Amino acid sequence: MATCTPAWTRFKHVTLHYGKKLGLHSAELTVKKRGYVPGGGGEVNFSCNTLKVVKPIQWLDSGKIKRIRGVASCSRMSPATNPRVIDKSRGLLNSFLPDVYIYNEHLKGDKSGKSPGHSLTLYTESTTEVVLSVDETATQQTLPEDLAVNTTHKLLDVIHAGGCVDSSHQ
């Protein structure tokens, strides 16, 4: 498994969620190309309003997890990769919560980066609007099921640790 900065999917679904709480209401992120190690080649467009004052937020109650969402992404790999990741991750998560949906994002051609790779981003939504997240990026040699198990176990560890903000956003 490759160690990387948080995936753009995580930034889009979690970091921008926190940004909106702070006052970035028009923040928008569009992924044009998704790049993986070692060649990269990803492209994103980011735009947001300028803040004169950052609104403070205070979360004391993490609430109960009401849904889990995610994005399985791969580029320059077989289209069968993502369904394997999704099936394995959902199989593990559905024993805890029935409302689990993981989107399939298979990129090829102009929308893919320079290197093959795949990733899984998982995030929770709670009854108090707390969002916890994890992501994992892997090379072509990593089995899709291994990616799913590792990422899902990381998410369960984050949920078990509790809190209102995951460690990557602290």
Side-chain angles (χ1 to χ4, degrees):
M1 302 276 172
T3 304
C4 301
T5 58
W8 289 110
T9 308
R10 188 178 196 181
F11 186 86
K12 182 176 184 178
H13 293 286
V14 181
T15 308
L16 289 183
H17 171 76
Y18 294 140
K20 288 180 183 180
K21 295 281 184 199
L22 296 170
L24 289 174
H25 296 294
S26 66
E28 194 176 298
L29 177 81
T30 307
V31 179
K32 293 182 131 196
K33 291 183 182 179
R34 189 174 290 273
Y36 291 96
V37 206
E43 288 181 29
V44 296
N45 285 340
F46 176 71
S47 63
C48 69
N49 55 305
T50 305
L51 290 178
K52 293 180 182 178
V53 177
V54 176
K55 290 193 277 183
I57 56 175
Q58 186 174 15
W59 273 321
L60 299 174
D61 180 15
S62 59
K64 300 214 184 263
I65 305 298
K66 63 181 182 179
R67 70 177 59 102
I68 297 174
R69 297 291 181 258
V71 178
S73 178
C74 71
S75 63
R76 300 192 181 271
M77 293 182 66
S78 167
T81 303
N82 282 346
R84 290 171 59 189
V85 171
I86 293 168
D87 288 345
K88 186 65 174 180
S89 186
R90 279 195 56 146
L92 295 169
L93 292 170
N94 277 143
S95 60
F96 299 104
L97 190 68
D99 191 1
V100 178
Y101 191 82
I102 302 171
Y103 298 91
N104 181 349
E105 183 183 75
H106 179 256
L107 303 168
K108 56 186 176 183
D110 292 345
K111 295 202 178 221
S112 63
K114 298 176 182 174
S115 298
H118 53 134
S119 63
L120 177 61
T121 301
L122 296 172
Y123 57 97
T124 66
E125 297 174 20
S126 80
T127 54
T128 57
E129 297 185 17
V130 168
V131 179
L132 303 173
S133 65
V134 296
D135 61 22
E136 191 82 37
T137 303
T139 61
Q140 188 176 12
Q141 290 77 27
T142 305
L143 289 174
E145 292 81 9
D146 291 344
L147 173 66
V149 168
N150 290 340
T151 310
T152 303
H153 285 171
K154 281 173 60 175
L155 180 68
L156 294 174
D157 288 344
V158 168
I159 293 169
H160 179 71
C164 295
V165 179
D166 60 58
S167 61
S168 70
H169 289 91
Q170 291 182 3

